[in-house]
Amino acid sequence: GAPSTNPALRQALRAAETQDHPSFQEADEPEELKNLRANPVTVADVAAACRPEHHLRVLSWADGVNRGQGASMTLCLSRATAPLLAQME
């Protein structure tokens, strides 16, 4: 494939891959999250919540180059057609 232009791939890791992120520290867990841990959402649950007019489109750069998360999110947001959308990093 084409070489990556993602500058993050040229940086040293900030922490060991096996080290937990500081946000994983013990904290009081909301009841909703406890309930999800006890009764996780299934594929069938997700499929049942989907609407027929919704779909997933996979986008890529024509030259196949990896331009990084920021460029990918910008591209995806520029092509979104839904009236509302959620974004997770």
Side-chain angles (χ1 to χ4, degrees):
S4 173
T5 61
N6 182 349
L9 296 177
R10 294 189 292 270
Q11 301 294 320
L13 293 175
R14 290 183 279 173
E17 289 287 330
T18 56
Q19 182 179 342
D20 278 344
H21 188 276
S23 66
F24 295 163
Q25 293 174 356
E26 291 292 323
D28 288 336
E29 199 170 58
E31 285 301 315
E32 292 171 346
L33 186 53
K34 288 179 186 176
N35 293 337
L36 278 176
R37 289 189 195 285
N39 303 298
V41 176
T42 66
V43 172
D45 295 333
V46 174
C50 291
R51 299 180 54 105
E53 68 271 17
H54 295 175
H55 58 275
L56 175 67
R57 181 176 300 139
V58 177
L59 302 175
S60 62
W61 302 100
D63 59 8
V65 173
N66 174 356
R67 290 181 172 80
Q69 180 182 1
S72 297
M73 288 178 20
T74 299
L75 173 65
C76 292
L77 291 171
S78 74
R79 302 286 169 79
T81 59
L84 299 172
L85 62 104
Q87 179 179 338
M88 271 179 57
E89 294 186 27

